[in-house]
Structure formats: structure tokens, C-alpha cells
Amino acid sequence: MKLWLVRHAQPLIEAGVCYGQLDMAADAQATRLCAEALAQVLPPGIAVVTSPLQRCEQLAHVLVGLRPDLTFKTDARLREMDFGSWEGRRWDAIGSAALDAWIADFARHRPGGGESVQAFMQRVAGIWDELWAGTPVPVTDTVWITHAGVIRAATLLQRGLRQITRADQWPTATPGCGEWRVLA
């Protein structure tokens, strides 16, 4: 079985802003281009699961419009990490003291009062375990239309890492907006 990790297209928000779970649309043209590329490579009947945030659902709707053999369901566990009061603020305006506090206790600190990395990893591990452990047993490849943080968490889970304690353990590489990676 393969898991396709698809990142939503470029959201309609200024670069450099922390947006986590802020719900905004993605660029319509970029979404269409991503959906067209995906439609060409996805196997028939693949299971599609999406984050409920509109930038992901938007991509799912365009994809199933191009591929009538596909349907999708939403799963809140595929939402991006919650950055609390940091969301909607420029990263450079959050302040080095706040960022340093997060780095110092990377696993347990709740940036902006939002979600800790540890809680985020547990949330993503829940859907990961259902997929790979077979509750129900997956009979087909699966697509997750999701966010950079979820893709990073899935990458760690594939390596067998369920908890990390330091910021330098968090993957820096992730597909760009409208791109994907496949785990097998």
C-alpha cells in the first residue's frame, strides 16, 4: 500500500505569516494545476481523505471533479498544527523570546497557547495507525490532502518516531504547496 501525502496549493495569505489552522482558500489556479497533475497519476479508486480546512477541501473538490471515480471524506486529524494566538501574525513579529521558549521545550510547549508538537504528533498518529494497522484493513492506496506539518509528522511516523524532544529532530524538508510525496 502507498500513502500519497499531498500539500494544499498556495493559500491566499501574505508570505511570512503563521497560519496553522486559520481557514482560508488557496489560489484557485494553483489548486487546479495541482488537481490536474494528481488526476493524471493517481490510481483508479484510490481512497482520498482531506483536512477539513478549506484550502485542502478546495483541492479535493477539484480533484474529484476531474476524476469521477474518486470520492473523499474529511478527517479533522489531518488539520495543520494549532498555533493559537500566533496564527495570523507575522513570524518575525512573534518575537524571539516566544520562539526560544518553544525551541527550549519543543515537544511540550504550546506555541501561542495552541497545540504542542507532542499532542499534534499523537493526533496524526491516530489516523496513521488506523491506516497502517488496519482498522479497517486498507485495501487500496490512500491520499491525504493535508498540510506541511502533517506531512512532516507522517515522515517521522514512517521512521518509527512517535515522539521527538528537540526542534532539530523535526523534519525541515516538505513538499511545496501543490506538491506531494509518496510513502510506501
Side-chain angles (χ1 to χ4, degrees):
M1 190 197 67
K2 293 180 183 174
L3 174 60
W4 298 65
L5 299 168
V6 179
R7 187 173 177 194
H8 57 78
Q10 183 63 48
L12 298 175
I13 194 165
E14 178 185 343
V17 172
C18 173
Y19 56 90
Q21 289 190 18
L22 280 180
D23 201 11
M24 84 279 296
D27 177 87
Q29 181 63 25
T31 297
R32 177 93 184 159
L33 291 172
C34 177
E36 288 172 351
L38 267 175
Q40 296 297 314
V41 297
L42 291 177
I46 192 167
V48 181
V49 185
T50 184
S51 160
L53 297 179
Q54 67 176 301
R55 56 193 182 266
C56 293
E57 282 193 328
Q58 181 180 352
L59 177 55
H61 282 289
V62 176
L63 177 62
V64 300
L66 295 168
R67 288 280 304 271
D69 63 309
L70 302 179
T71 59
F72 72 89
K73 66 178 184 175
T74 60
D75 193 310
R77 294 173 294 181
L78 293 181
R79 289 183 332 254
E80 182 59 280
M81 187 169 151
D82 178 0
F83 289 94
S85 65
W86 290 7
E87 294 189 7
R89 295 177 59 197
R90 293 191 53 76
W91 282 102
D92 58 11
I94 290 169
S96 60
L99 293 170
D100 289 347
W102 183 24
I103 300 293
D105 189 11
F106 192 70
R108 294 186 308 259
H109 185 79
R110 295 174 50 219
E115 185 174 28
S116 70
V117 171
Q118 185 174 21
F120 177 65
M121 286 289 296
Q122 289 173 346
R123 172 165 53 89
V124 176
I127 189 169
W128 174 271
D129 290 346
E130 285 180 17
L131 181 67
W132 293 101
T135 320
V137 176
V139 293
T140 185
D141 291 351
T142 301
V143 175
W144 287 356
I145 299 176
T146 191
H147 310 273
V150 173
I151 294 170
R152 288 179 172 117
T155 301
L156 290 170
L157 291 165
Q158 183 191 35
R159 291 189 222 150
L161 296 172
R162 293 188 163 266
Q163 293 185 6
I164 60 172
T165 56
R166 300 181 327 268
D168 64 349
Q169 295 172 299
W170 190 247
T172 54
T174 188
C177 290
E179 297 178 351
W180 59 84
R181 96 172 23 142
V182 180
L183 305 180

